Amino acid sequence: MATPTAPRRIWLTGATSGIGEALAKRLLHDGHRVALTARRRDALEALAAPFENALVVPADVTDHASVRAAGAQIEAIFGGLDLALLNAGTCEYLDARHFDVDLIERVLATNLHGTLYAVEAALPLLRLARDGHRRPQLAAVSSASAYFPLPRAEAYGASKAAISYFLASLRLDLAAEGIDVSIIHPGFVRTPLTERNDFPMPMRVEVDEAVDAILRGLEKRALDIHFPRRFTWLVKLAGILPPVLRHRLGRRLTRNADTEGSS
Ligand SMILES: NC(=O)c1ccc[n+]([C@@H]2O[C@H](COP(=O)([O-])OP(=O)(O)OC[C@H]3O[C@@H](n4cnc5c(N)ncnc54)[C@H](OP(=O)(O)O)[C@@H]3O)[C@@H](O)[C@H]2O)c1
């Protein structure tokens, strides 16, 4: 699916792998000016090489100063942003028998704080892009796990639930400023991140399907971009069950091997 709007100035984080890399290629191919952020400069440069409309802006989203510098570089070259697409993220699973606060902090640092730093850097640039015709857009990648608590996902799920709440709240406050906010809730997508998973991933989709769904949702300025719908509707439904039923369902998804030996 082509991205249908006029060329836009876009900041995409997490552009070197998985969903972000596929989004980057599609957006660049469709002629948008895309500032590409991730930690690995070499991978960003290789991605950008075939495209004149790519801007390489390496940054570690857990490093506040690095993200601010990225924002300043984008402002100097683009002069504003029509879309900030905050996708950088990581996943680590907790073993509650060996409670590991460092692991939780690592995941929160990338997924939550990294998103917050990027929002801080992006907002002034989105404000610069308001021209009375087009509303700038802010979007961030949460996860379907934000809808329903899953075993071992204490860190990842909490980081994504926090992003979803944060953006839903921010959306209320930015509406009056003419900035639209979309929250992206993917189910399982085949990427290097999910290739590491050692459990069944029902209805996992290929990355091109994810890119189509995200671009379609952004085009419609959907508040909640979730896919694949055959999966995410089930998860949403599970998420509104009474707590006791939600707990029973969650317990069925908990592997005995992960809880054996807990006191
Ligand atoms: N795949 C799924 O099934 C799925 C489902 C729900 C939600 N999501 C979310 O979708 C997003 C993309 O996931 P993916 O599956 O495409 O993962 P991925 O293949 O592991 O890609 C993650 C991207 O984030 C970047 N990144 C990680 N830590 C970073 C940091 N500290 N600073 C800057 N960039 C950083 C990585 O680049 P560098 O290593 O070069 O920094 C990479 O480009 C994530 O937010 C993930 O939580 C994925």
Side-chain angles (χ1 to χ4, degrees), residues 140-147 164 182-189 205 209-210 212-218 220-237:
V141 181
S142 176
S143 159
S145 63
Y147 299 137
S164 295
S182 294
I183 311 169
I184 301 165
H185 292 101
F188 293 112
V189 182
V205 297
E209 189 175 331
D212 285 344
I214 290 171
L215 295 180
R216 212 167 31 237
L218 289 173
K220 287 187 196 151
R221 293 178 182 256
L223 303 183
D224 178 10
I225 300 172
H226 62 100
F227 57 88
R229 294 203 160 210
R230 54 195 180 277
F231 177 71
T232 46
W233 279 121
L234 288 174
V235 184
K236 278 171 179 271
L237 195 62

Side-chain angles (χ1 to χ4, degrees), residues 18-108:
I19 297 171
E21 182 183 7
L23 274 168
K25 287 180 177 159
R26 189 82 70 88
L27 292 167
L28 286 164
H29 182 264
D30 290 343
H32 299 287
R33 297 174 73 194
V34 188
L36 305 165
T37 288
R39 291 165 299 187
R40 287 173 290 144
R41 177 185 286 275
D42 290 357
L44 289 174
E45 284 172 351
L47 174 65
F51 300 100
E52 284 182 357
N53 44 334
L55 175 65
V56 169
V57 187
D60 180 340
V61 296
T62 67
D63 176 350
H64 202 170
S66 159
V67 180
R68 282 187 170 147
Q73 187 185 342
I74 295 167
E75 181 173 357
I77 294 169
F78 284 2
L81 275 176
D82 304 299
L83 168 64
L85 187 38
L86 309 180
N87 159 77
T90 189
C91 182
E92 291 184 67
Y93 293 105
L94 187 74
D95 180 341
R97 293 165 300 182
H98 308 287
F99 196 79
D100 182 351
V101 171
D102 291 342
L103 178 157
I104 298 170
E105 286 182 345
R106 275 198 304 276
V107 173
L108 291 174

